[in-house]
Amino acid sequence: EIVMTQSPATLSVSPGERVTLSCRTSQTISSNLAWYQQKPGQAPRLLIYGVSTRATGIPASFSGSGSGTQFTLTISSLQSEDFAIYYCQQYNNWPYTFGQGTKLEIK
Amino acid sequence: EVQLVESGGGLVQPGGSLRLSCGASGFTFANFAMSWVRQAPGKGLEWVSTISGNGARTHYADSVKGRFTISRDNSNNTMYLHTTSLRAEDTAIYSCAKTTGNAYGYWYFDLWGRGTLVTVSS
């Protein structure tokens, strides 16, 4: 099983700041990595797939990058609606696995 | 509107069974794989199972293999998860997810339902 490690667990930031969330995988996964956003009481929403492709309707303020075993999600300028939990997920090998999540909090 | 709606959750005793359903609308259901993902209270996301569009291929997490069965009825745009031998650690919100990707079987989840809560307790 591929282990996904996200860091940090919690990030306190101010609106307007730029943030970078990290995701490390225990094995290489080609480009089969996705990012999801989850707000309290809501279903997760796909943000990024294929490491860097934004899903339909996702603003350009969200970008993904990385290769090998190190991947990042960057939010260029945090809006109030971006405070949520973010999960990375690999879909290169079964079982599909998620990171434990990074929670973005308002500073 | 593209939508997924789960049902069938509830309180069940350890060792019991439940059948969860996921109704889909707004897209050609048979053209897409579908998955179940669960989230224990206050915890992260855990992939449970995936079924291909025609139902021929299924995949399960080790934690549920042999106890859960995924299936689908493309004529009724519905997916199911039959859960048996339930344990306390199966307590979670179970969400269905439209699963897409490429022809090589590298799939991700591009639409999620809000989930149905399964509580396993005596």
Side-chain angles (χ1 to χ4, degrees):
Chain A
E1 173 175 318
I2 295 176
V3 177
M4 311 289 287
T5 303
Q6 290 186 244
S7 60
T10 304
L11 195 53
S12 296
V13 293
S14 300
E17 284 188 23
R18 176 188 177 94
V19 296
T20 299
L21 284 59
S22 294
C23 177
R24 187 179 78 248
T25 63
S26 61
Q27 302 174 31
T28 58
I29 58 168
S30 186
S31 60
N32 297 312
L33 183 106
W35 290 92
Y36 303 88
Q37 176 194 67
Q38 187 177 32
K39 298 178 182 179
Q42 295 187 19
R45 177 173 71 147
L46 175 68
L47 298 175
I48 301 282
Y49 62 93
V51 174
S52 60
T53 303
R54 281 189 302 276
T56 302
I58 302 303
S61 57
F62 289 87
S63 62
S65 64
S67 64
T69 62
Q70 299 276 359
F71 302 90
T72 60
L73 175 70
T74 299
I75 309 172
S76 60
S77 179
L78 273 170
Q79 306 298 306
S80 57
E81 61 267 26
D82 299 332
F83 290 92
I85 299 176
Y86 292 83
Y87 295 94
C88 60
Q89 178 238 336
Q90 67 82 20
Y91 51 96
N92 195 68
N93 288 44
W94 301 100
Y96 290 171
T97 46
F98 291 88
Q100 79 279 20
T102 291
K103 183 177 182 179
L104 289 187
E105 292 184 334
I106 300 176
K107 183 185 285 184
Chain B
E1 180 189 5
V2 183
Q3 194 173 13
L4 297 171
V5 179
E6 302 90 341
S7 60
L11 175 63
V12 61
Q13 292 188 339
S17 301
L18 278 177
R19 189 182 77 162
L20 309 182
S21 300
C22 169
S25 59
F27 63 97
T28 305
F29 183 70
N31 287 356
F32 293 93
M34 294 291 295
S35 301
W36 288 97
V37 179
R38 68 184 180 183
Q39 188 167 30
K43 302 296 184 182
L45 302 170
E46 180 189 14
W47 168 78
V48 173
S49 184
T50 296
I51 187 168
S52 62
N54 62 8
R57 285 182 290 163
T58 58
H59 302 271
Y60 296 94
D62 285 347
S63 59
V64 306
K65 198 172 293 183
R67 300 187 300 124
F68 291 8
T69 302
I70 192 171
S71 62
R72 63 191 297 159
D73 179 352
N74 286 347
S75 65
N76 286 308
N77 293 345
T78 304
M79 176 180 66
Y80 303 99
L81 187 68
H82 186 207
T83 67
T84 65
S85 302
L86 284 163
R87 308 164 180 166
E89 55 265 34
D90 295 317
T91 294
I93 295 173
Y94 286 72
S95 297
C96 61
K98 176 174 168 281
T99 304
T100 192
N102 62 35
Y104 299 101
Y106 298 112
W107 296 326
Y108 51 89
F109 314 122
D110 66 339
L111 175 70
W112 299 61
R114 298 190 66 171
T116 186
L117 177 62
V118 172
T119 303
V120 184
S121 175
S122 54

